[in-house]
């Protein structure tokens, strides 16, 4: 099935058409700046622009940086606060005229990594963490997603008192505080140690742009748990959102034939 996969982020809204049987992008990726302020109406209008740019008329899968409960956003940590309680699925479906399926962005990336990347075929507890403006998490038990885990909001005891993990060791913090790789590694390692203690995972997968520099900061980790870098990197959110939308489209018994663009 072909689905338009979209990853909505704080700075850019990126999309590509994905062949969900293989997870391959069958078009180039297009990116439009996220509007400011990134209100629901403004983001929906930008999504419509992207849909028009692909001349797309079929189902859409969207990764979104908030917890999404049956299509409704419950939180808004790194996006405009007006998203709280917005029915994102319906808003995007009405604005674009295409059936939209929205899930948390880290959950989308996790689905992609479990099907096609570092988590492929892995049983037990797998935790994917995306390091970006915030820290996203996706938790799988025997391949089944436990959605909306929000582990980036876990409080850590630090020298400066209790701090949310994403306020202590996200990519935004690394850049804003000009943290060296060792210091960043020690901070992120502290977060991983806490997760290891609480959840006893079998595998950590680290995603987000900074994971390309994994070798620079990972020597500071003191972990027992196996840890890998995400394999699908930049595309994971787009592909995972499309895979999720394909599953939901099939489940809903919608006929995707003739809907593709
Ligand atoms: C949000 C999560 C999101 C993560 C990555 C966090 O601030 O609360 O929902 O997955 O950022 O974008």
């Amino acid at each position: 099935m072909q689905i338009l996969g979209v990853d909505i982020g704080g700075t850019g809204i990126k999309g590509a058409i994905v062949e969900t049987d293989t997870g391959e992008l069958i078009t180039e990726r297009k990116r439009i700046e996220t509007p400011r302020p990134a209100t629901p109406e403004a983001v929906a209008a930008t999504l419509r622009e992207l849909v028009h740019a692909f001349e797309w008329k079929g189902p859409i899968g969207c990764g979104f940086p908030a917890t999404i409960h049956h299509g409704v956003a419950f939180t808004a940590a790194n996006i405009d606060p007006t998203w709280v309680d917005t029915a994102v699925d319906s808003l995007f479906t009405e604005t674009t005229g295409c059936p939209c399926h929205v899930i948390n962005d880290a959950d989308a990336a996790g689905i992609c990594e479990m099907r096609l990347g570092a988590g492929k075929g892995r049983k037990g507890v797998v935790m994917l963490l995306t390091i970006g403006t915030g820290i996203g998490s996706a938790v799988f038990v025997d391949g089944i997603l436990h959605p909306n885990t929000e582990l980036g909001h876990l409080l850590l005891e630090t020298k400066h008192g209790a701090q949310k993990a994403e306020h202590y060791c996200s990519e935004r913090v690394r850049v804003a505080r000009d943290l060296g790789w060792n210091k960043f590694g020690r901070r992120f390692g502290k977060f991983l140690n806490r997760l290891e203690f609480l959840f006893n995972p079998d595998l950590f997968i680290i995603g987000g742009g900074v994971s390309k520099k994994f070798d620079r900061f990972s020597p500071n980790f003191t972990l027992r748990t196996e840890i890998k870098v995400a394999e699908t990197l930049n595309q994971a959110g787009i592909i995972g959102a499309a895979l999720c939308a394909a599953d939901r489209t099939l489940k809903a018994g919608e006929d995707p034939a003739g809907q593709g663009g």
Side-chain angles (χ1 to χ4, degrees), residues 196-233:
E196 182 176 63
F197 175 76
L198 292 171
F199 298 99
N200 290 287
D202 296 285
L203 172 66
F204 283 119
I205 303 175
I206 306 300
V210 75
S211 61
K212 285 186 205 131
K213 297 279 170 33
F214 184 77
D215 292 345
R216 307 281 296 274
F217 59 89
S218 60
N220 296 284
F221 299 166
T222 53
L223 287 174
R224 301 178 61 150
T225 309
E226 184 185 356
I227 185 159
K228 289 180 166 187
V229 177
E231 288 171 13
T232 46
L233 289 175

Side-chain angles (χ1 to χ4, degrees), residues 86-240:
T86 299
V88 193
D89 267 13
S90 324
L91 172 69
F92 288 174
T93 299
E94 279 158 25
T95 312
T96 61
C98 302
C100 286
H101 305 274
V102 183
I103 55 164
N104 173 263
D105 56 355
D107 285 345
I111 289 170
C112 180
E113 278 297 309
M114 291 303 284
R115 295 243 191 118
L116 308 162
K120 196 169 167 187
R122 294 294 298 248
K123 299 276 183 226
V125 178
V126 179
M127 288 189 151
L128 170 119
L129 301 163
T130 60
I131 313 175
T133 307
I135 295 179
S137 61
V139 177
F140 295 82
V141 180
D142 288 339
I144 308 285
L145 173 70
H146 176 129
N148 295 315
T149 43
E150 293 290 66
L151 296 174
H153 293 250
L154 194 74
L155 286 178
L156 300 175
E157 278 307 326
T158 76
K159 271 199 297 217
H160 318 286
Q163 277 190 293
K164 276 189 182 187
E166 71 176 15
H167 295 164
Y168 179 66
C169 55
S170 62
E171 173 64 354
R172 175 166 63 185
V173 171
R174 186 187 71 79
V175 173
R177 304 261 162 83
D178 197 18
L179 302 178
W181 288 115
N182 286 332
K183 187 155 193 189
F184 175 70
R186 283 194 298 275
R187 285 189 173 205
F188 201 78
K190 187 183 179 92
F191 176 43
L192 291 173
N193 282 129
R194 192 75 193 131
L195 294 175
E196 182 176 63
F197 175 76
L198 292 171
F199 298 99
N200 290 287
D202 296 285
L203 172 66
F204 283 119
I205 303 175
I206 306 300
V210 75
S211 61
K212 285 186 205 131
K213 297 279 170 33
F214 184 77
D215 292 345
R216 307 281 296 274
F217 59 89
S218 60
N220 296 284
F221 299 166
T222 53
L223 287 174
R224 301 178 61 150
T225 309
E226 184 185 356
I227 185 159
K228 289 180 166 187
V229 177
E231 288 171 13
T232 46
L233 289 175
N234 270 346
Q235 329 286 22
I238 293 176
I239 299 170

